[in-house]
Amino acid sequence: MNAVSMKPIAAIETEFPEKFGVPRQSGVVPTLKGRIVFDPAVRSAEIVRGLEGYSHLWLLWLFSENRHAEWSPTVRPPRLGGNQRMGVFATRSPYRPNPIGLSAVKLEKIELEAPDGPALIVSGADMVNGTPILDIKPYLPYADCLPDATGGFTDSTAFSHLEVTAAPGVLEALPKEIADRLSALLAQDPRPHYHHDPERLYGLSFAGYDVRFRVEGSTATVLSVRKAK
């Protein structure tokens, strides 16, 4: 087959400077926001004409953090505890022959008058800050919503959900909206599924803060939050 080259059309700004902590699927934490900024080569109000009529979008994007990583025919999905292998095309693993991601996000706003506009404000994003966007397509409920679809091994594996607590005064030191988003994020259990050491200290960078937390049983406890340097 002939090689195909593609150039990113945009990049997304999110609250995640690194991979750890990013939700494993889009929409899992619906309060997480992203801002899509178009490349100057395509930037024009004309490219988003009519987009305001859609509530959700499909984003096709590049796994830029591991675009040069080796891929494998089989991978260990986190939902299976990292102990069982599945074919790469039966998963959404980032380690693929072509490192392309797919996310469904909610379109919150179109910023037409911004200095770098038009820009798109979306929610439910699951990408690292600066992730290159390859294409944007409208979500079509009549074609894209398939109520009878089956979800493979994900249908028989439960989502891990944690109760989130904090040391006295820790979350109160954050702006409430950031504290709420952080709590929702930690409730989804960002740890690798094979980590179960209650003494292990985890570090998470989020929204300009360095967060330290532990998990014991089904409870995540935020121990400290500091402004990132």
Side-chain angles (χ1 to χ4, degrees), residues 46-59:
E46 294 300 305
I47 64 175
V48 296
R49 182 191 294 181
L51 201 61
E52 71 278 358
Y54 297 94
S55 64
H56 291 74
L57 306 173
W58 287 111
L59 304 180

Side-chain angles (χ1 to χ4, degrees), residues 74-88:
T74 61
V75 296
R76 296 186 175 97
R79 286 288 293 275
L80 295 176
N83 298 316
Q84 185 175 344
R85 285 193 171 274
M86 287 286 176
V88 65

Side-chain angles (χ1 to χ4, degrees), residues 118-189:
L120 308 180
I121 307 301
V122 300
S123 60
D126 59 341
M127 285 162 272
V128 173
N129 183 55
T131 293
I133 306 294
L134 298 173
D135 199 7
I136 298 170
K137 300 180 186 292
Y139 180 96
L140 303 178
Y142 78 88
D144 297 338
C145 182
L146 305 173
D148 297 329
T150 57
F153 64 85
T154 66
D155 284 344
S156 59
T157 55
F159 276 101
S160 177
H161 188 83
L162 301 177
E163 178 184 356
V164 179
T165 63
V170 171
L171 290 181
E172 289 79 4
L174 293 174
K176 185 179 185 306
E177 60 273 17
I178 292 180
D180 289 345
R181 292 200 298 275
L182 175 62
S183 295
L185 178 66
L186 294 178
Q188 301 301 317
D189 194 355

Side-chain angles (χ1 to χ4, degrees), residues 85-97:
R85 285 193 171 274
M86 287 286 176
V88 65
F89 293 134
T91 76
R92 294 192 174 183
S93 168
Y95 300 101
R96 322 182 68 78

Side-chain angles (χ1 to χ4, degrees), residues 6-79:
M6 288 184 287
K7 294 181 179 179
I9 61 163
I12 189 168
E13 300 171 351
T14 72
E15 296 176 302
F16 294 98
E18 57 188 35
K19 289 192 296 182
F20 182 66
V22 175
R24 294 185 176 96
Q25 298 295 335
S26 58
V28 173
V29 185
T31 55
L32 295 178
K33 296 292 195 296
R35 184 173 187 267
I36 298 171
V37 180
F38 290 97
D39 186 271
V42 300
R43 188 178 298 163
S44 164
E46 294 300 305
I47 64 175
V48 296
R49 182 191 294 181
L51 201 61
E52 71 278 358
Y54 297 94
S55 64
H56 291 74
L57 306 173
W58 287 111
L59 304 180
L60 283 80
W61 47 277
L62 188 66
F63 283 106
S64 52
E65 295 292 300
N66 64 334
R67 71 176 78 186
H68 301 301
E70 293 291 330
W71 73 278
S72 171
T74 61
V75 296
R76 296 186 175 97
R79 286 288 293 275

